[in-house]
Amino acid sequence: MSAEYSVGVLGATGAVGREMLRSLQERGFPVKSLRPLASSRSAGTKVEFDGQELTVQEAGPGSFEGLDIAIFSAGAAASARFAPEAARAGCVVVDNSSCWRQDPRVPLVIPEVNAGAVRRHKGIIANPNCSTIQMLVALKPIYDAVGIRRIVVSTYQAVSGTGQKGIEELSEQTRKLFRNEDPPQKVYPHRIAFNCLPHVDVFLENGYTKEEMKMVNETVKIFDDPGIRVSATCVRVPVFYGHSEAVWIETGRPIKPEAVRELLTRAPGILVEDDPATNLYPLASEAAGREEVFVGRIRADISCENGIAMWVVADNVKKGAATNAVQIAELLIREPGLLTADWPAADAPAVAAKA
Ligand code: 25A
Ligand code: L14
């Protein structure tokens, strides 16, 4: 009989945590027992897993004893506190927050891009930002074939990136506006319904937002390429599920759009949808609920040498978060010896290389 594992999900009641439970089930992860964890707000509530109702427990000391793997999506503060504790309890953590991504002890992994990095873990593995994941899945085959020197990207990000509260804000505002009532505004600094906000996460001193600098710093770390130049503008749009991205790249050597289409068609985790004649291109409405990264509008960038432009769409809660985290857990059980944690005594997460 093949092995089965004790799995914890921290943040099990959130938008991403619920999807993690679904992904474990849908992908057939060999779960022996599942422990849903969240804050005191949700302790005692029920979540469904594999046809059973499980009671959510408050995360605290001892929560990770006896677990083989814990998948976290409870925000950076909870990850800073609980990930080292879990790793020291012998439980390998796959963390979806931004907390540990730039720590040199922590591999930052997209299975289609840098699966091998998982072997260097010491008990904590970070799941990249959703916008970075879908962009690099799409760019990896091109990077390997001809190199990429520079990336310029504009994102169109769904409100589910902010978790359950973002989903509620867009629903409420839309409902109220249709009734001629004042829309409530709690989550974003401006109305998101029928609007576009060039503002995701907080502003930094260099004029970029933290979300934009995550795309820069995470690309450098995942491609292991300090020389790659990246500039991002991240925009929140009134879409529930699915981030879209307009991506322009300058490659090291020339490559034709047809060759890019060909490469991406054969690459793992990608579906090419690119037939302008029949209005076929990726849409958030079609990508929602799917695990693949969708790519279309592949064309030569007429403004520079060796330029390619494209449109990249994926479900931010699935491939951007839950699916990628479960795929990392799958890597951990595929090779013997990877389910051990030897997290060092000094805990504090290293901050981003540059911001
Ligand atoms: O810090 P980061 O990395 O930037 O991430 C910030 C948030 O973004 C979401 C996720 O929110 C995360 O918390 N997120 C992160 N990565 C994402 C990605 N790639 C992403 N979203 C999309 N794509 P979330 O709403 O999905 O999940 C939050 C979950 O974490 C639990 N949690 C929070 N603090 C915790 C904790 N668990 C343990 N210890 C802690 N200290 C949280 O559980 C939820 O499961 P909960 O019990 O706190 O909340 C249950 C329900 O209560 C509501 N709620 C949340 N906050 C408040 C609240 N109600 C009132 N007041 C609040 N302040 C929510 O509706 C939730 O469903
Ligand atoms: O860093 O608000 O993974 O859309 C991803 C979703 C940060 C917030 C991360 C959003 C989060 C982001």
Side-chain angles (χ1 to χ4, degrees), residues 7-11 20 24 69-73 91-96 321-322 325-326 329:
V7 180
V9 173
L10 179 70
M20 284 169 167
L24 286 165
I69 300 176
I71 310 183
F72 282 24
S73 190
C91 162
V92 180
V93 175
V94 181
D95 181 36
N96 188 46
V326 173

Side-chain angles (χ1 to χ4, degrees), residues 224-254:
D224 192 16
D225 182 352
I228 195 163
R229 289 172 294 160
V230 184
S231 182
T233 302
C234 292
V235 182
R236 183 83 60 198
V237 297
V239 166
F240 285 106
Y241 294 96
H243 288 359
S244 305
E245 300 179 342
V247 182
W248 294 263
I249 58 172
E250 281 179 54
T251 55
R253 280 173 285 122

Side-chain angles (χ1 to χ4, degrees), residues 14-234:
V16 173
R18 284 178 191 281
E19 194 59 44
M20 284 169 167
L21 298 176
R22 205 169 300 138
S23 279
L24 286 165
Q25 236 167 283
E26 282 176 2
R27 298 181 62 88
F29 193 85
V31 175
K32 179 163 63 193
S33 67
L34 193 122
R35 192 178 300 168
L37 300 161
S39 76
S40 56
R41 274 192 297 273
S42 302
T45 61
K46 308 276 186 199
V47 291
E48 203 207 290
F49 182 75
D50 214 10
Q52 297 176 44
E53 286 227 308
L54 302 175
T55 304
V56 177
Q57 303 169 22
E58 179 179 358
S63 283
F64 304 96
E65 297 294 334
L67 294 179
D68 298 303
I69 300 176
I71 310 183
F72 282 24
S73 190
S79 292
R81 176 165 163 221
F82 290 118
E85 189 180 313
R88 274 197 298 271
C91 162
V92 180
V93 175
V94 181
D95 181 36
N96 188 46
S97 82
S98 51
C99 173
W100 298 97
R101 291 182 189 147
Q102 294 302 327
D103 190 302
R105 297 167 294 181
V106 175
L108 183 61
V109 179
I110 307 170
E112 292 87 346
V113 178
N114 64 336
V118 86
R119 299 199 183 97
R120 293 196 299 271
H121 86 82
K122 298 182 186 308
I124 304 177
I125 298 153
N127 206 46
N129 171 264
C130 36
S131 302
T132 311
I133 292 177
Q134 66 182 69
M135 180 172 83
L136 297 194
V137 167
L139 294 185
K140 170 69 171 172
I142 308 169
Y143 186 89
D144 286 347
V146 291
I148 296 176
R149 283 205 275 252
R150 177 165 182 253
I151 304 169
V152 177
V153 55
S154 283
T155 70
Y156 304 69
Q157 298 188 213
V159 293
S160 52
T162 323
Q164 201 55 45
K165 57 188 185 301
I167 296 170
E168 280 156 25
E169 178 106 328
L170 176 58
S171 314
E172 269 296 288
Q173 289 184 349
T174 308
R175 264 200 302 269
K176 293 257 159 124
L177 283 165
F178 274 118
R179 290 192 207 123
N180 274 330
E181 294 168 18
D182 275 345
Q185 200 178 288
K186 295 181 226 152
V187 177
Y188 303 112
H190 303 280
R191 198 185 77 208
I192 183 60
F194 310 103
N195 216 353
C196 298
L197 312 181
H199 180 179
V200 178
D201 212 331
V202 297
F203 281 102
L204 303 172
E205 264 181 18
N206 67 358
Y208 284 79
T209 62
K210 194 169 164 201
E211 181 80 349
E212 289 160 354
M213 291 311 295
K214 284 180 220 166
M215 293 189 80
V216 177
N217 294 325
E218 294 179 22
T219 296
V220 167
K221 180 164 175 174
I222 294 164
F223 278 163
D224 192 16
D225 182 352
I228 195 163
R229 289 172 294 160
V230 184
S231 182
T233 302
C234 292

